[in-house]
Amino acid sequence: MDNLIPAPARTGGEGSGGFVLDEATTLSAGPGTETTERWLRTTLGAAFGLPLAPAGVDAEGAPNTIELGIDPSLEPEGYRLGVAPTWGVRITGGSAAGVFWGAQTLRQLLDPEAFRRAPVAAGARKAVPFTEIEDGPRFRWRGLMLDVARHFMPKDGVLRMLDLLAAHKLNVFHFHLTDDQGWRIEIKRHPRLTEAGAWRARTKYGHRASELWDETPHGGFYTQDDIREIVAYAAERHIRVVPEIDIPGHSQAAISAYPELGNTDVIDTSALSVWDTWGVNPNVLAPTDNTLRFFEGVLEEVLELFPADTSPFIHIGGDECPKDQWKASPTAQARMADAGLADEDELQSWFIRHFDRWLTARGRRLIGWDEILEGGLAEGAAVTSWRGYAGGTTAAEAGHDVVMCPLQQVYLDYRQDGGPDEPMPIGYVRTLEDVYRFEPVPPGLSEEASGHIMGTQANVWTEVMQNRDRVDYQVFPRLAAFAEVAWSCLPAPGERDFADFERRMNTHYARLDALGVGYRPPTGPRPWQRRPGVLGRPIEGPPPTV
């Protein structure tokens, strides 16, 4: 009861004894709770080998029933969970999502064996304590950004990650699908994006300054049916998917497949291949009508694959776009003159504004990294603030919605410890406690601007994460701390009870073990998690608040 992560808002009514799931336990699902009903049967039912048969018509209030219902008077993602000897388990949510988050709490109230896929020690099922819980999230956007462009994660790994997000009450999956190093989504009208753009001949091993290379060709992509499956799987878990198609920078994979998209009057774009190293790439999209039409075609297929009810936001990147080629390009300079643009920053804004209007006309909202503020931001656009708090603060004060994800705090590719055994150490040290003390709303923000902070997300860039095990190591256990920051109404960072969180993590580690998560242990990396001698880019000292 006192080991829940994230911590619930209110608990009470705990008494002796508890409710034990057994072969006679039934499941009563009210209208609108079908996703949770299916999840309970396929997850808890599998973990304990129980059928959780449908309850009869007179089952309401029966003592051996899990009862699901919706009460619109609750906040949409809020829930009440009650366990009593007279009526079993009752989960009531403000919406279908609230019911689902209540079911996640029920799972945690059971033994960590509830996180396994098949019955283990079936004769020793843990009782759910008699209790009452009222809970709901602080933020409506609680997300994780996963970069599958630098290192491809096969579909099953993505589905597994969605399960892990759901287990931590995170509700946004930001799907970074394109970059210089690979294009990962099938676009039928432009087949070379995956035929050529999804594969690179070799890969830099470690930081870009490393002399090591992995000479194994790397690549992969999701078919359109894969994408539909991922989106549907997320929707069943009340997770919104935010696809990212990165423009106008981070586009070498697309240019290598279709050279006419690049600045052909500056460089020979036909000589470009999918990029095999890391960093900020100089090869950016040309500001031509052909480029606009090309990416409109891409986005038409993206919108069909990511329906508006599950993906109201479309991320267009907009970050790290060097302007050198535009400065040297007669075509780009002519575009600036025709459009009355003062400089290349405004030319980037011209790109962003075009797609903001295009998406708005189709009932979607554009979101981009905080560089889209440069040169002026389109009225309806939202911002993911990654370079620090400053971009998000500026955007929120100007009336734009913001997701806070400052690199100094919640980049989970950054190292977790300063010791020599950390694999491919990148960036500042961000410990479990550091993440737990992250505050998404910057101090000094006006009350009105604070209302524009939709929430927060942790970002996972995979340049030095070659496979699922490396992603696990970097993301966990820190994602558990981040989930509590995003969900729970915590005190100010300095007043947070990290010792209690650590205590609760002792149980949570057992849950992660049951889920097969290769997290970093509190004592340091296991022997097979180390990568000694591979050059990283560690930054010493505490990160600045910017």
Side-chain angles (χ1 to χ4, degrees), residues 329-532:
S329 165
T331 301
Q333 295 301 309
R335 171 66 76 183
M336 289 169 55
D338 290 345
L341 305 176
D343 55 27
E344 287 75 17
D345 283 344
E346 289 193 5
L347 182 58
Q348 176 166 334
S349 178
W350 171 87
F351 256 109
I352 304 305
R353 289 175 184 271
H354 174 87
F355 287 103
D356 178 74
R357 292 190 298 270
W358 191 92
L359 288 167
T360 299
R362 289 155 181 81
R364 305 299 181 95
R365 291 189 64 190
L366 180 148
I367 188 167
W369 303 110
D370 54 61
E371 285 97 329
I372 68 174
L373 291 162
E374 298 166 3
L377 183 56
E379 182 177 350
V383 170
T384 38
S385 186
W386 74 276
R387 291 182 292 181
Y389 288 113
T393 299
T394 298
E397 294 286 6
H400 295 280
D401 288 337
V402 172
V403 177
M404 283 292 184
C405 49
L407 67 90
Q408 299 86 355
Q409 308 295 332
V410 287
Y411 265 36
L412 300 187
D413 41 305
Y414 281 12
R415 58 198 172 128
Q416 303 180 66
D417 187 88
D421 290 334
E422 293 303 308
M424 299 186 191
I426 300 293
Y428 299 103
V429 171
R430 295 286 84 196
T431 65
L432 185 67
E433 182 172 1
D434 291 331
V435 174
Y436 190 67
R437 297 194 188 281
F438 164 59
E439 172 50 49
V441 179
L445 202 62
S446 69
E447 183 177 351
E448 182 179 357
S450 295
H452 286 290
I453 305 298
M454 295 190 291
T456 181
Q457 69 183 34
N459 293 339
V460 182
W461 301 103
T462 61
E463 288 93 335
V464 297
M465 299 181 216
Q466 301 86 355
N467 52 47
R468 192 188 83 177
D469 288 344
R470 282 286 291 118
V471 173
D472 275 8
Y473 179 88
Q474 292 298 133
V475 171
F476 294 97
R478 292 183 294 182
L479 192 69
F482 173 80
E484 184 149 310
V485 167
W487 177 276
S488 306
C489 291
L490 299 176
E495 299 170 8
R496 294 176 188 173
D497 190 349
F498 179 70
D500 180 70
F501 178 78
E502 272 193 310
R503 180 192 59 76
R504 288 181 282 130
M505 278 301 300
N506 288 329
T507 298
H508 202 66
Y509 286 123
R511 297 177 188 132
L512 296 177
D513 286 333
L515 288 166
V517 176
Y519 59 86
R520 181 191 189 276
T523 53
R526 297 179 174 95
W528 58 87
Q529 293 172 325
R530 300 168 187 163
R531 296 290 187 278

Side-chain angles (χ1 to χ4, degrees), residues 77 97-105 142 166 169-171 237-238:
E77 290 189 281
V99 177
F100 184 72
W101 303 133
Q104 296 297 330
T105 298
R142 309 178 303 280
K169 297 188 174 74
L170 297 174
N171 69 342
R237 287 146 184 79
H238 300 278

Side-chain angles (χ1 to χ4, degrees), residues 161-190:
M161 184 60 73
L162 291 170
D163 280 330
L164 292 171
L165 296 188
H168 292 84
K169 297 188 174 74
L170 297 174
N171 69 342
V172 175
F173 179 58
H174 177 167
F175 205 7
H176 184 82
L177 288 162
T178 73
D179 217 295
D180 299 303
Q181 295 85 2
W183 184 284
R184 306 292 180 219
I185 177 172
E186 178 188 25
I187 302 297
K188 291 187 181 295
R189 72 188 70 185
H190 301 305

